Amino acid sequence: MLYVKELYKSYEAGKNKYQVLKGIDFHVAKGEFVAVMGPSGSGKTTLLNCISCYIPFDRGNIRLGGMELAGMNEEALARVRNTKIGFVFQDFMLLDGLNIRENILVPRIVQGEVGAEAQRLADQLAAMFGIGHILEKYPAEISGGEKQRAAVARSLINNPLIILADEPTGNLDSKSGRAVIETFNNAKEQMNATIFMVTHDSFAASFCDRVILLKDGTIYRQLEKEESRSGFQDQLLDVLKEMSR
Amino acid sequence: MSQTINMKQMEQKLQKADRKQSRLYLFCNFTALAIISAYSALMLSPTVQRVFPEGGDSRKQMYMIFVMTLAGCVVFTIYALGLFFRHKSGQLGILMAIGTSRRRLAPGLFREVMLLSGMSAIAGTIAGFPFVWIIWHGFRLILVDSSDMALTFDFRCLFISLLFMLLVVGFACLTAWRYLKKTNIMEVIREEHINEPVKEPGRWCGPVGFLLILAGAVLGYGAPWAFQAWFHMYSPPWAGVFYAPVFPGLYMVMLHTVVHGWRRHKRNPYKNIISRSMMKFQGRQTVNNLLVVTLLIAGGCFAVFYLPANGVSMMMRYASQPYDYFYKYQADQDVPERDEVEALGKEYGLTFQEWGECVYVSLGIGGSTDIEEEGMRFRVEYVPMLNEARVLSEDAYRTLTGQEADVEPGTYLSVTNQEETSLSVNQSAREFTNMVTRTQLDTEFAGYLHYDLLVDDMYCCVLDNDDYDRIAEGLTDEWKGRIVQFNVDGKDSYAFAKAFYNRFVASFDETCERHRHYDRVSKIRYDEAGEEYWADTFDAATVSYENSDSFMFRQFWVYQPDFRILDQNDYLRNMSVLFMMFLFIFLVCLVTAQVVCYTRCQSIALNNRYVFDDLRKLGASPAFLDKEVRSQCANVFRVPSLVGMSGMFLLFTMILYANDGRITRAEWITMGVCLAVLALIGVMIYGVYRGSVRAIKGRLGI
């Protein structure tokens, strides 16, 4: 589904050049729920931004559903972002002027006119994630957890190849955070969605099938969930402790 | 829900939700265009153009302040646009992030931007005209009305508004395009939170800035003098560059204000750390804004000082005038004699006392003058028949003034005002010339006599009686004249003064229809040299009896009499167009400055909303938040106001001093009035500051 090969990315700040990603290699299979963890500055968000095509990368390959993202023009990248990728952001990024149903439909609206069928799909997704009762409300009128579930619904409206989530629980309390992670789980189980999530939260990561641990721009280790969720979380915490030494 | 929804409908919905942001942008655009449209309408109106002397300082002043206002308006429209896009970028970023191509976003964005900027610009341009009309007629209704003030428009002023409108719309489209061109979507999304910190200079920055301002002011003001004294050349147009240090100086002062502030809190160095850091992180724009506000306030003060500068000296002059009526006329004119004047006075129940009159002659007077050479250079040369001078004999002067005037034969005394500030004094004449017989009288300067009423633009000299008789021999009536003065016994009558004035003007023929700067001796000299006399081809150097009640006539007619009650009562009426224009300029500058301050404060609050939220979460009390908001706003309002007002006051003082090398009594009083005006401006600014604080607190929910 998603192949990342020898990915390099650097930033320049004044006269200094910082190499943030130093040859990242991994792949995510269809229907897999993968998290990326690592200390601050390890390159998690940069990796996600490169896969999202938000920022250009220096070198390497990113293939999504058989398509090579490097070298695509702006128009084609926009199309990929719209039809092949679903996005969930830490700060929800819902449009304040639209109600929740319209927000869920935005990726469809930018494709052209949205009719009754798409609206039915939006309603179904909302119902599936427990936000069916707030479809007519505006973002300012609902809680953070509800906003994030609406964002997950939005990310699925175009039936994308993959959902990219950047710290989706970062702005939420633990209860709302858990609800959002369960929403991802629902999407994975009921729609066979592929999810790639950057997180700091070992609890959220413990729901994933696999966790990629980044350190200083390289993959430190990849852990597969082979036991219970809590056992996996303990394992993650141990590795994170080891990484910080 | 089963309606369809498309991109356009979605954009419309988003625009509707963004009304608050749009309103601020619309308001700023509308205000800027209304100000520019109103200013240019008034500036180019025939009413104003007629009154402001062509090439005169007041006209230059008007244009200069217009440029400053224009700069202010450009800054705050750009700024309002920046604010609008900061908010808009969040929306654009989200749409781009979820896969909307730039091509798909462009039509809606350009439509919105063009609609907002175009609509507000057109509305502002149109509103400028009724705005001027209302202010002008309000002024006429409340203060003074005269035929001079009939407001007419020259619709060429629309070109200026149109250009500005195109600039506003063009810049809005350019900004939209710039946002769409950004390739880094994360940058677009985060635009709302991008800060523009300034590089932190040392604490020397502000004091050095002040020194630069002072140096610029002194160098700029002294440059013309230095060119003339040291290089014998007129100050070239580029000499304005000597004022240049003022601008980096101002920048440094504002930078110091933003980065350090002017108060040291040694005991508690963290006292203003939050408000200071908020300003610092928006530093670049804040400094630019403070600069523009300073210049606008200084420009406004410059304009408003014109009123007391002119008014006080005139009012004092009227009050100190020793005679109610003073006039002079050519001997060949049919001006009413004493009995006719007294008969007219009787009609108004007036009798006169202290009647005095004397004769004088007009002679050519020699003097040193600048002769222009190539490349702005000049040489000082003595010219025997330089100008026309009004010359009295010792006896005539004594009769008129009651002062002793002992003039040695072969010398002359120059008549000047009590404070010796008149520029119409000649100390270098070596001879007087009878312009009919061309006989000359050798002479030399022997000192001064003082009589304010005799001081005008023409030199006035007193000769020994015998010298006077000798040089006046053979003069025709056109070179002779009479001076009359008298007081009213009891209370004077404006109606009489008006009737007498009309009769007085009507008694002159067209040979006296001359501008006060039209010099008959110079004219003869130019004609004899086969050169063209400048006043013959200069429209502004003409007057017409048809407009004998107009400002221009009363200001510039060569025989304009001094009728105290008439001048006093009509002063405001005669000066009304000038006063109105400068009052208008002042209002425009002040309003523009305050709008810039207001929007700056709003944006600081909006940009730092999250800081206030965090402070609240950290347990900051409403009183603390209130203090932080006040501190922010105070910095935006206080320093530019203080620097602008005090800077202009100092410059004004320098100008008053440089006029004649000292500060006269009238000038001291003028300065006092100006200080009172500054205090009033301070109160007005404080009012806007309070309003800004209230608005910000409302937005932040404090």
Side-chain angles (χ1 to χ4, degrees), chain A residues 128 185-193:
Chain A
M128 188 160 102
N185 258 343
N186 277 350
K188 172 180 146 56
E189 275 155 26
Q190 294 182 35
M191 301 171 74
N192 197 24

Side-chain angles (χ1 to χ4, degrees), chain B residues 564-610:
Chain B
R564 191 207 317 259
I565 193 167
L566 188 75
D567 294 340
Q568 252 172 350
N569 281 286
D570 289 355
Y571 174 73
L572 201 57
R573 193 179 69 91
N574 287 328
M575 299 294 285
S576 55
V577 177
L578 279 170
F579 278 12
M580 176 60 210
M581 188 66 203
F582 280 110
L583 201 61
F584 179 81
I585 291 171
F586 160 68
L587 285 174
V588 161
C589 286
L590 199 67
V591 168
T592 314
Q594 297 316 292
V595 172
V596 175
C597 284
Y598 182 84
T599 46
R600 180 71 250 179
C601 288
Q602 298 299 309
S603 69
I604 290 176
L606 286 176
N607 290 336
N608 294 298
R609 182 190 289 274
Y610 61 95

Side-chain angles (χ1 to χ4, degrees), chain A residues 171-190:
Chain A
N171 269 350
L172 301 174
D173 57 72
S174 57
K175 194 177 161 200
S176 304
R178 184 176 185 126
V180 168
I181 294 300
E182 278 167 0
T183 307
F184 280 129
N185 258 343
N186 277 350
K188 172 180 146 56
E189 275 155 26
Q190 294 182 35

Side-chain angles (χ1 to χ4, degrees), chain B residues 234-281:
Chain B
Y234 296 114
S235 179
W238 55 261
V241 83
F242 287 101
Y243 280 110
V246 168
F247 298 100
L250 272 176
Y251 183 82
M252 289 167 83
V253 169
M254 295 309 148
L255 191 62
H256 187 105
T257 305
V258 168
V259 174
H260 302 297
W262 291 93
R263 279 193 207 160
R264 268 181 191 264
H265 297 283
K266 279 189 179 165
R267 274 195 196 164
N268 181 6
Y270 299 109
K271 195 173 176 193
N272 288 328
I273 192 162
I274 290 168
S275 60
R276 178 92 23 242
S277 61
M278 276 190 233
M279 280 190 102
K280 239 192 274 186
F281 285 110

Side-chain angles (χ1 to χ4, degrees), chain B residues 5 39 81 420 428 441 446 481 488 494 517 546 553 599 663 669:
Chain B
I5 179 165
Y39 199 141
L81 188 69
E420 294 191 358
S428 59
L441 173 75
V488 170
Y494 175 81
H517 294 140
E546 281 176 24
F553 188 87
T599 46
I663 305 280
I669 295 173

Side-chain angles (χ1 to χ4, degrees), chain B residues 497-523:
Chain B
K498 184 79 181 167
F500 183 32
Y501 175 74
N502 290 337
R503 171 74 185 85
F504 180 78
V505 177
S507 64
F508 283 81
D509 64 25
E510 68 280 1
T511 59
C512 294
E513 205 172 16
R514 297 197 306 268
H515 193 278
R516 66 196 305 170
H517 294 140
Y518 189 98
D519 188 296
R520 289 186 295 172
V521 172
S522 295
K523 161 77 176 157

Side-chain angles (χ1 to χ4, degrees), chain A residues 74 93 102 110 114 119, chain B residues 1 3 5 13 102 104:
Chain A
E74 275 296 313
M93 291 214 190
E102 289 160 344
V110 300
V114 165
Q119 291 178 36
Chain B
M1 164 171 174
Q3 294 161 299
I5 179 165
K13 223 178 157 195
R102 290 174 171 87
R104 192 112 174 82

